[in-house]
Amino acid sequence: MRHASETSFRPRHAGWRRVRPVSAQPIEQAAIDAAAVAPDATSPGARRRLGALRALGPYLRRYRGRMTLAFVLLCTSSGAFLAVPLAFRGLIDHGFVAGQSISGHFLALFGIAVLWGMASAARFYQVSWIGERVTADLRSAVYRRMLEQSPQYFETTRTGEVLSRLTGDTTLVQTVVGSSMSMGLRSFFQLFGGLVMLAVTSAKLFALTLLLLIVVVVPMVWAGRRVRRLSRESQDRIADSSAVAGEVLNAIPTVQAYTNEPYESGRFDSAVERSFGSAIRRARMRAFLTAGVIVGVFGSIVFVLWLGAQAVSGGMMTAGTLASFIMYAAITAGGFGTIAEVWGDVMRAAGATERLMELLHAEPQIAPPAAPQILPASRQARLDFERVDFRYPSRPQHAALDGLTLSIREGETVALVGPSGAGKTTVFQLLQRFYDVGGGSIRFNGVDLRELDPRALRAQIGLVPQEPVVFSADARENIRYGRRDASDADVLAAARTALADEFIARLPQGYETFVGERGTRLSGGQRQRIAIARAILKNPPLLLLDEATSALDAESEALVQRGLEAAMQGRTTLVIAHRLATVQRADRIVVLEDGRIVEIGTPAELARSGGLYARLASLQLVG
């Protein structure tokens, strides 16, 4: 499997962190996060990425009832939270007056806490459910869309990128929908409500606090931008070192065979040192930012509190008013810091959504026609290639097939031979309609392939590839992959026909034996016989054999060849083979070169003709 490019597509989830509750987030940390993240808020790129979040609308609207309930709970919990300072104000100003009972004030505080806790817990459950559900829906939708894409799509899209988007990017979306967005709204209510209550509590102290914070924050914005640039640089350097390590570890036999371990170790050490230097520069600037924020923010708060204390001493303000002002200031600062941190999550999720929508909106290159024709029922296939031209989209300057004309009768076995690049595999790709012809036509039982639903066409074709795919399941399920509704008896019959039963029966748990990822617990010949059994179980009119024995030893080849002969009985078969000894029983051999048919005939006829087939046969005999 190919991996995503470290530079063009790197999973963004490595650096995200979950937003902490306001009560656990120090004011100075909130200000640091605000300075480091906030400058991105007004950039054109940020506005463009935020627009991508609108694509989540259809997925969210499915659960509008839960979203409405979550919003009501959010308003309830935020209102209860903002009522806490007022309750403390009343407790301080009136609860400790001689002759008055304080029990009612404490009961009020407890009641607020109960309401706050219950509403917060219910809100958390609702938004978490919505986040997980939307993410699951989105992940399934993207995966279904990818299954519809033809091989042409994956010529330009790395499978590693797709997998990264399915995992890392959907995780970012889940984080925002399931927690960050809700926390951002809650923090916005707290910030807005806190500012209003600060102004109501003491307009003079509020104005002075706002002025001092502006003076402190402006220089911190510059430092925050520097921290952000250094963070990106540090992540790039880490990615560089990871890329070096991944490349070398995947090629460790070659590295050791050429005794280049010291060289590769030094190359990795250099990448690590560059990453270390970048991280230290980021840490130095972050330390400067931390010191500036702590001194500036706390200096401002202490100064404002000193003025408030003077007002209390002079009788111009009550102690309860000052206490509630302090609490509202803490709520406001915490809300501001959380919004700044959430904003970073939102921006990353917006970029992730944009990448997911690229996959979701990718139109399949091969799509069924509006009114597909129905293939006539037949036990065998007839194929007609009429002046077929084709060029791969990734290589438009090279003709893979050039004017190919060929007719294959029902029940006939035809072998395609020729040098590499002659067009043999292209014929198979076009027959399965992984690509459409560029010129001419291919007819299956008289129907043009372009007039058929690709799934209906492929249901009529069985494939035994050169490198058979064996899934991480047991032997029975791997064979049943050819026809999902097959009974155990059908699976057993197909395995016996393909001569797979003899080795499956010797496995530790027989047909229930787990064969390992990609069939690693089986030999090459055993995997090939599993693939043959799968094709036999499908029982298609057309069988395609793509170099089915080329990578096997003589003993395994003999067993597989017997299985193939059983699979070929009663159906039209096309065979690709480089080893000409495997196609001697073919009814006809078609010799291809540079996308054209240069010879056609029986094996004996071609051997006598002295053409390309005869030369290839003589070279193999000499070898």
Side-chain angles (χ1 to χ4, degrees):
M1 180 179 294
R2 295 168 292 183
H3 296 281
S5 167
E6 293 292 344
T7 56
S8 63
F9 188 92
R10 186 164 53 251
R12 276 27 176 215
H13 63 279
W16 70 268
R17 51 196 174 95
R18 190 172 294 278
V19 179
R20 294 166 292 173
V22 171
S23 58
Q25 185 170 0
I27 297 175
E28 71 273 15
Q29 183 62 47
I32 291 170
D33 291 333
V37 178
D40 275 340
T42 58
S43 66
R47 291 193 295 269
R48 179 182 59 80
R49 289 195 298 272
L50 279 176
L53 289 175
R54 288 196 294 268
L56 297 177
Y59 298 91
L60 290 169
R61 283 193 290 271
R62 300 174 188 174
Y63 312 106
R64 55 173 60 91
R66 285 183 178 268
M67 291 181 64
T68 302
L69 176 59
F71 183 76
V72 171
L73 292 169
L74 173 64
C75 294
T76 302
S77 62
S78 297
F81 183 48
L82 289 171
V84 171
L86 287 178
F88 269 103
R89 177 180 177 177
L91 175 64
I92 295 172
D93 286 343
H94 306 291
F96 296 109
V97 176
Q100 291 193 11
S101 173
I102 63 173
S103 299
H105 294 287
F106 281 104
L107 285 174
L109 272 173
F110 180 71
I112 292 173
V114 170
L115 178 61
W116 180 21
M118 296 297 292
S120 296
R123 174 194 59 82
F124 172 79
Y125 173 78
Q126 291 297 330
V127 296
S128 296
W129 189 96
I130 294 169
E132 295 291 350
R133 184 68 266 169
V134 167
T135 302
D137 292 347
L138 184 59
R139 187 176 287 141
S140 296
V142 172
Y143 187 68
R144 284 195 299 271
R145 175 64 69 168
M146 290 299 98
L147 291 180
E148 295 173 0
Q149 302 301 325
S150 67
Q152 178 178 343
Y153 178 81
F154 293 98
E155 287 186 15
T156 55
T157 303
R158 296 180 177 90
T159 54
E161 291 183 8
V162 174
L163 294 175
S164 181
R165 298 186 193 195
L166 278 173
T167 53
D169 284 355
T170 51
T171 299
L172 285 176
V173 172
Q174 187 276 329
T175 300
V176 168
V177 176
S179 62
S180 296
M181 192 172 294
S182 172
M183 294 185 73
L185 285 173
R186 185 197 68 184
S187 298
F188 174 77
F189 287 170
Q190 292 173 5
L191 173 63
F192 181 76
L195 288 173
V196 171
M197 295 308 297
L198 281 174
V200 170
T201 303
S202 174
K204 181 180 178 181
L205 290 182
F206 168 69
L208 185 59
T209 301
L210 201 59
L211 177 63
L212 289 173
L213 287 178
I214 290 174
V215 172
V216 170
V217 166
V218 168
M220 291 302 105
V221 166
W222 173 84
R225 290 183 178 181
R226 177 68 176 163
V227 167
R228 194 173 65 254
R229 284 196 297 269
L230 290 173
S231 295
R232 283 199 299 265
E233 180 185 338
S234 178
Q235 290 174 345
D236 288 342
R237 299 292 79 74
I238 292 173
D240 291 342
S241 61
S242 298
V244 171
E247 179 184 25
V248 172
L249 292 177
N250 284 330
I252 197 67
T254 302
V255 173
Q256 294 179 348
Y258 286 90
T259 64
N260 274 330
E261 296 92 333
Y263 166 74
E264 295 297 351
S265 179
R267 197 157 69 99
F268 183 73
D269 288 345
S270 297
V272 169
E273 287 302 316
R274 288 192 295 271
S275 173
F276 172 76
S278 180
I280 291 301
R281 288 192 295 275
R282 176 183 56 81
R284 188 183 300 120
M285 182 56 67
R286 182 72 185 235
F288 166 76
L289 180 61
T290 301
V293 167
I294 290 176
V295 173
V297 171
F298 270 93
S300 301
I301 292 174
V302 168
F303 179 66
V304 171
L305 292 182
W306 178 77
L307 291 178
Q310 295 297 317
V312 171
S313 298
M316 294 178 292
M317 180 183 291
T318 66
T321 300
L322 179 60
S324 64
F325 186 89
I326 295 171
M327 294 183 71
Y328 280 125
I331 289 173
T332 301
F336 181 65
T338 301
I339 287 174
E341 191 172 359
V342 165
W343 182 259
D345 285 344
V346 169
M347 293 302 296
R348 287 188 289 270
T353 302
E354 193 172 18
R355 292 186 294 272
L356 287 168
M357 290 304 112
E358 288 176 3
L359 298 183
L360 194 58
H361 295 153
E363 291 296 331
Q365 296 291 328
I366 304 299
Q373 290 198 27
I374 304 300
L375 275 173
S378 175
R379 297 293 302 274
Q380 296 178 338
R382 186 181 79 256
L383 303 175
D384 294 290
F385 296 79
E386 299 175 0
R387 299 184 300 280
V388 173
D389 296 326
F390 179 72
R391 298 170 187 262
Y392 284 100
S394 58
R395 305 186 298 277
Q397 71 283 356
H398 174 71
L401 292 179
D402 185 4
L404 186 141
T405 297
L406 175 67
S407 292
I408 299 173
R409 301 181 298 274
E410 293 92 338
E412 188 178 16
T413 297
V414 174
L416 304 179
V417 301
S420 297
K424 304 183 297 296
T425 301
T426 301
V427 171
F428 278 24
Q429 299 268 32
L430 294 177
L431 275 173
Q432 296 172 90
R433 211 183 165 207
F434 292 149
Y435 301 88
D436 276 336
V437 298
S441 66
I442 302 176
R443 295 184 176 275
F444 189 106
N445 286 343
V447 182
D448 193 312
L449 300 190
R450 290 166 294 190
E451 298 175 358
L452 294 170
D453 185 323
R455 287 175 54 83
L457 168 66
R458 293 163 192 164
Q460 305 297 309
I461 301 173
L463 175 67
V464 181
Q466 180 179 2
E467 297 180 1
V469 175
V470 178
F471 297 96
S472 297
D474 60 36
R476 175 179 284 111
E477 289 307 307
N478 265 287
I479 296 175
R480 186 176 275 129
Y481 200 81
R483 181 159 55 88
R484 298 303 306 166
D485 60 350
S487 66
D488 288 350
D490 293 335
V491 171
L492 180 61
R496 286 174 174 167
T497 303
L499 302 181
D501 178 66
E502 57 90 14
F503 79 82
I504 294 176
R506 296 198 304 269
L507 295 176
Q509 286 84 42
Y511 282 82
E512 282 73 40
T513 301
F514 177 69
V515 297
E517 186 176 4
R518 298 188 300 274
T520 53
R521 299 175 68 179
L522 302 177
S523 69
Q526 290 171 338
R527 289 195 296 271
Q528 199 65 272
R529 280 181 277 171
I530 289 282
I532 295 170
R534 185 185 295 160
I536 292 174
L537 183 65
K538 188 176 184 180
N539 193 27
L542 176 63
L543 183 63
L544 305 180
L545 306 180
D546 185 2
E547 297 282 359
T549 63
S550 64
L552 304 179
D553 58 75
E555 183 178 358
S556 297
E557 180 182 2
L559 289 171
V560 169
Q561 193 63 44
R562 288 167 56 194
L564 289 174
E565 291 173 359
M568 294 161 61
Q569 292 297 320
R571 54 177 54 88
T572 306
T573 306
L574 272 181
V575 183
I576 292 177
H578 280 125
R579 293 163 67 165
L580 302 183
T582 64
V583 295
Q584 295 305 304
R585 297 186 182 180
D587 297 315
R588 284 188 296 163
I589 293 178
V590 175
V591 185
L592 296 173
E593 186 175 27
D594 295 329
R596 300 184 183 91
I597 296 177
V598 294
E599 291 182 290
I600 188 167
T602 66
E605 291 171 348
L606 295 180
R608 292 193 300 267
S609 68
L612 177 58
Y613 176 85
R615 292 199 303 272
L616 293 174
S618 65
L619 288 173
Q620 291 193 13
L621 289 174
V622 171

